[in-house]
């Protein structure tokens, strides 16, 4: 995967000096034990580091400023072990630019009923201190996640882990560069947007490059490099005989390899996290990039077809969020429907560009006519996707704001084999049902280019939307069209009125 940089979560405890120095030392020991346990949890993908016990306004502001300036810090976990008067948090929280999660827990799981005394009561006051801290966060209209439960519980660690994944994606996005190779597909609306507003909101930059800039790299690939890459193809995939070395169409595989080598070098020289292409601007390329795009996505690059830079950025972000998990995340498109009365289904695919990370088994490497773009037949990986839970997500530009639309889906097997469909594909049943899902997605303005993930949940995307300060519309088992339309109307009013404030509820 493309390296997204070292990332840490800092653990900060809150307390005060009212109960003496020994109590502060005990708070520190307890907080470090919790941080170390979370650091060793397989559910939390980032390193968790105990930083300090904040007991004064100066200490808290100092650690928040340090977090802002630390490139490795992706966010903070904050816990008030004892009563931590929240006015001391105002300066630090006002300055803090990194996301934080409020962990509402206590050190001991069970009360020592027969031994409890006032010393115990005074030290173990998270029920008191966290509510004071929570009030201040709400009073300051601060967005944050609140996780409640004992720190050793699996569900608590899992929820912290999802939040950490969202923080990791947000952290990586801040300096990401998206290369738009060629322009937008002509006359298409949803793939357009305000790149200046996107950089101000999300942190990533989008800049355009002529396809000729890429062609120079493609043509600069050596015969040795091309031969070695074609040999790797034959090792990694089920390559059809005509594309193998000595096959009648091996030259087309070599052309695909040149495109991959050139595209990798082009992106590497620009330190890019993602890119777009468009079949309407292929001058100088023999094929529409298919195999190359599939393999680059596998390695963690974001991609959007037809100039869709918002989708490229979202895919990169979701790839980072899913690091270390199995199941895969890919660019996708709702391509066509199965509308049989006994069961409605969606067939997801694209012309070529579906990431092999979601493949069920070893992909086949094939060549077929494309019928669009006016170029030679492109090579591509063909595969199906295993059944199971997944999400589709898209970011759209509504002019006055960005909206993240998420639909929970269930991937199912195709009713029959698809021997004549020469592309990678997935079949799913959207929740709560096809008609409600499609109507809700359309009312919300969702793109036809979602990011499809078998590893991420709607919770991690909700955490990401909160960090980004954008609207999220979730379509799941509880969704009704009437309620989603009300939500969208309320959103219009809120985001129109919320220019100068935010809601932290």
């Amino acid at each position: 995967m493309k390296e997204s940089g070292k990332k840490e979560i800092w653990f900060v405890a809150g307390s005060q000096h009212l109960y003496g120095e020994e109590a502060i030392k005990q708070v520190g020991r307890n907080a470090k034990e919790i941080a170390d346990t979370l650091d060793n949890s397989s559910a939390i993908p980032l390193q968790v580091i105990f930083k300090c016990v904040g007991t004064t306004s100066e200490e808290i502001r100092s650690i928040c400023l340090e977090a802002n300036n630390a490139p490795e810090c992706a966010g903070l976990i904050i816990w008030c072990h004892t009563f931590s008067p929240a006015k001391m948090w105002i300066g630090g929280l006002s300055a803090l630019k990194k996301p934080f999660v409020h962990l509402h827990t206590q050190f001991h799981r069970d009360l020592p009923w027969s031994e409890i005394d006032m010393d115990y009561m005074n030290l173990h006051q998270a029920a008191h201190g966290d509510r004071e801290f929570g009030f201040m966060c709400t009073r300051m209209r601060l967005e944050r996640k609140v996780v409640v439960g004992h720190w050793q519980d699996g569900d608590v660690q899992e929820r912290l882990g999802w939040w950490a994944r969202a923080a990791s994606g947000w952290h990586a996005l801040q300096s990401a560069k998206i290369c738009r190779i060629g322009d937008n597909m002509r006359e298409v609306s949803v793939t357009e947007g305000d790149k200046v507003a996107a950089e101000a909101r999300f942190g990533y930059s989008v800049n355009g490059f002529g396809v000729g800039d890429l062609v120079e790299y493609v043509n600069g690939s050596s015969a040795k490099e091309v031969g070695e890459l074609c040999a790797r193809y034959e090792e990694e995939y089920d390559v059809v005989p005509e594309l193998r070395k000595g096959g009648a169409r091996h030259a087309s595989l070599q052309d695909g390899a040149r495109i991959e080598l050139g595209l990798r070098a082009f992106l590497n020289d620009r330190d890019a996290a993602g890119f777009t292409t468009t079949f309407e601007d292929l001058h100088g390329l023999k094929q529409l990039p298919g195999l190359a795009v599939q393999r680059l996505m596998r390695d963690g690059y974001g991609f959007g077809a037809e100039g869709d830079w918002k989708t490229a950025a979202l895919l990169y972000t979701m790839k980072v969020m899913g690091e270390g998990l199995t199941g895969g995340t890919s660019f996708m498109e709702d391509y066509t429907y199965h509308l049989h009365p006994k069961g409605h289904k969606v067939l997801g695919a694209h012309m070529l560009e579906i990431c092999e990370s979601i493949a069920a088994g070893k992909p086949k490497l094939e060549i077929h006519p494309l019928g669009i773009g006016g170029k030679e037949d492109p090579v591509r990986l063909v595969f199906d996707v295993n059944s199971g839970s997944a999400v589709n997500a898209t970011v759209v530009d509504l002019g006055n704001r960005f909206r993240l639309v998420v639909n929970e889906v269930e991937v199912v097997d195709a009713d029959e084999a698809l021997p004549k469909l020469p592309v990678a594909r997935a079949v799913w049943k959207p929740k709560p049902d096809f008609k409600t899902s499609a109507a809700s997605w359309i009312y919300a303005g969702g793109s036809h280019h979602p990011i499809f993930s078998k590893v991420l949940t709607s919770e991690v995307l909700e955490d990401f939307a909160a960090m980004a300060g954008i609207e999220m519309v979730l379509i799941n088992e509880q969704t009704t069209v009437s309620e989603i339309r009300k939500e969208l109307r309320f959103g219009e009013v809120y985001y129109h009125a919320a220019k100068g404030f935010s809601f932290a509820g």
Side-chain angles (χ1 to χ4, degrees):
M1 169 155 191
K2 178 178 168 57
E3 179 58 50
S4 57
K6 178 186 176 184
K7 296 178 287 290
E8 301 171 348
I9 299 297
W10 290 5
F11 192 101
V12 177
S15 188
Q16 62 171 321
H17 291 279
L18 182 64
Y19 308 114
E21 290 305 311
E22 184 51 43
I24 297 298
K25 292 178 182 178
Q26 186 62 48
V27 169
R29 289 191 292 269
N30 292 162
K32 187 177 187 308
E33 182 174 342
I34 294 177
D36 289 346
T37 298
L38 298 179
D39 183 48
N40 290 322
S41 171
S42 60
I44 301 176
L46 306 187
Q47 185 176 10
V48 180
I49 298 176
F50 171 66
K51 294 300 291 187
C52 70
V53 177
T55 60
T56 66
S57 299
E58 292 75 19
E59 288 175 348
I60 293 167
R61 180 174 172 81
S62 177
I63 194 64
C64 289
L65 292 175
E66 183 182 350
N68 289 345
N69 294 323
E72 70 278 6
C73 178
L76 282 69
I77 298 173
I78 300 176
W79 169 54
C80 294
H81 188 312
T82 62
F83 182 57
S84 178
K87 284 181 66 178
M88 71 173 64
W89 287 88
I90 294 175
L93 293 176
S94 297
L96 184 63
K97 302 299 183 184
K98 298 291 176 75
F100 70 96
V101 58
H102 180 187
L103 176 59
H104 183 43
T105 190
Q106 64 183 27
F107 185 70
H108 294 294
R109 189 192 67 180
D110 303 326
L111 286 176
W113 298 102
S114 62
E115 299 178 6
I116 193 168
D117 56 19
M118 285 311 299
D119 287 339
Y120 181 97
M121 294 281 279
N122 287 335
L123 183 62
H124 299 90
Q125 286 196 74
H128 190 180
D130 276 335
R131 292 170 193 261
E132 166 78 356
F133 177 78
F135 165 76
M136 185 53 66
C137 292
T138 297
R139 176 67 175 81
M140 296 175 69
R141 309 298 195 268
L142 297 177
E143 186 57 75
R144 78 281 191 195
K145 184 181 184 73
V146 179
V147 175
V148 179
H150 193 257
W151 50 278
Q152 291 177 318
D153 290 350
D155 68 305
V156 169
Q157 295 180 10
E158 183 178 0
R159 295 197 69 207
L160 289 172
W162 285 125
W163 176 86
R165 289 186 178 280
S168 177
W170 177 247
H171 181 269
L173 197 59
Q174 298 312 294
S175 58
K177 300 174 183 177
I178 306 298
C179 293
R180 200 180 194 199
I181 303 171
D183 200 357
N184 192 56
M185 180 180 172
R186 290 185 282 277
E187 304 296 344
V188 177
S189 59
V190 74
T191 54
E192 283 285 13
D194 188 335
K195 293 188 283 290
V196 173
E199 186 165 354
R201 170 58 60 187
F202 298 104
Y204 66 84
S205 62
V206 182
N207 288 294
F209 296 88
V211 70
D213 297 328
L214 171 60
V215 169
E216 287 187 14
Y217 282 84
V218 172
N219 293 340
S221 302
S222 69
K224 181 175 182 293
E225 291 174 317
V226 170
E228 290 173 346
L229 185 52
C230 287
R232 287 205 298 276
Y233 293 158
E234 295 198 23
E235 293 174 358
E236 295 181 25
Y237 309 116
D238 180 8
V239 182
V240 296
E242 61 185 334
L243 289 178
R244 290 180 174 273
K245 187 174 183 179
R249 307 198 68 179
H250 184 65
S252 294
L253 187 63
Q254 292 175 314
D255 290 335
R258 288 189 188 92
I259 293 174
E260 179 181 340
L261 290 166
L263 189 50
R264 283 186 183 276
F266 175 88
L267 296 173
N268 185 66
D269 283 355
R270 287 154 183 80
D271 193 28
F275 64 102
T276 70
T277 62
T278 174
F279 65 86
E280 289 183 325
D281 192 356
L282 297 173
H283 184 71
L285 295 175
K286 289 188 175 183
Q287 306 173 8
L288 173 65
L291 174 63
V293 173
Q294 292 177 295
R295 286 171 55 83
L296 284 162
M297 283 192 288
R298 177 200 67 181
D299 294 343
Y301 284 92
F303 171 75
E306 294 118 38
D308 193 349
W309 50 269
K310 297 186 298 300
T311 295
L314 181 60
L315 176 55
Y316 169 67
T317 308
M318 291 174 66
K319 287 281 191 181
V320 173
M321 291 178 187
E323 283 184 28
L325 301 176
T326 57
T329 299
S330 177
F331 173 82
M332 187 58 74
E333 180 167 286
D334 304 76
Y335 220 101
T336 191
Y337 299 141
H338 178 66
L339 298 181
H340 194 279
K342 291 185 177 180
H344 297 165
K345 301 171 185 176
V346 178
L347 175 59
H350 203 257
M351 294 185 295
L352 301 174
E353 309 97 335
I354 302 298
C355 178
E356 65 176 280
S357 68
I358 64 173
K362 191 175 186 178
K364 292 189 68 176
L365 179 47
E366 304 178 1
I367 182 168
H368 301 276
L370 184 61
I372 194 170
K375 292 293 180 177
E376 296 179 10
D377 298 346
V379 294
R380 82 288 299 276
L381 299 176
V382 178
F383 53 83
D384 294 302
V385 178
N386 282 327
S387 60
S389 299
V391 294
N392 279 322
T394 184
V395 169
V396 293
D397 184 348
L398 298 178
N400 66 333
R401 67 189 187 277
F402 293 93
R403 173 183 285 162
L404 174 66
V405 187
V406 179
N407 187 195
E408 297 177 354
V409 306
E410 187 70 21
V411 183
V412 297
D413 295 331
D415 290 10
E416 301 177 25
L418 300 163
K420 295 184 178 180
L421 186 60
V423 293
R425 60 276 179 140
V427 180
W428 64 79
K429 292 181 178 180
K431 295 181 180 181
D433 58 75
F434 169 76
K435 291 182 179 180
T436 302
S437 164
S440 299
W441 188 276
I442 289 170
Y443 276 123
S447 169
H448 60 284
H449 284 168
I451 301 304
F452 171 92
S453 179
K454 294 203 70 189
V455 298
L456 299 180
T457 66
S458 55
E459 181 174 4
V460 71
L461 294 170
E462 184 176 9
D463 291 340
F464 169 77
M467 293 173 191
I470 64 172
E471 179 183 17
M472 174 172 158
V473 175
L474 175 62
I475 305 167
N476 63 9
E477 202 67 66
Q478 288 75 47
T479 298
T480 65
V481 173
S482 60
E483 287 302 314
I484 209 84
R485 296 191 73 184
K486 290 178 185 177
E487 179 183 343
L488 295 172
R489 292 189 189 104
F490 294 153
E492 288 294 339
V493 174
Y494 167 72
Y495 283 95
H496 177 74
K499 302 289 187 181
F501 64 90
S502 61
F503 179 66

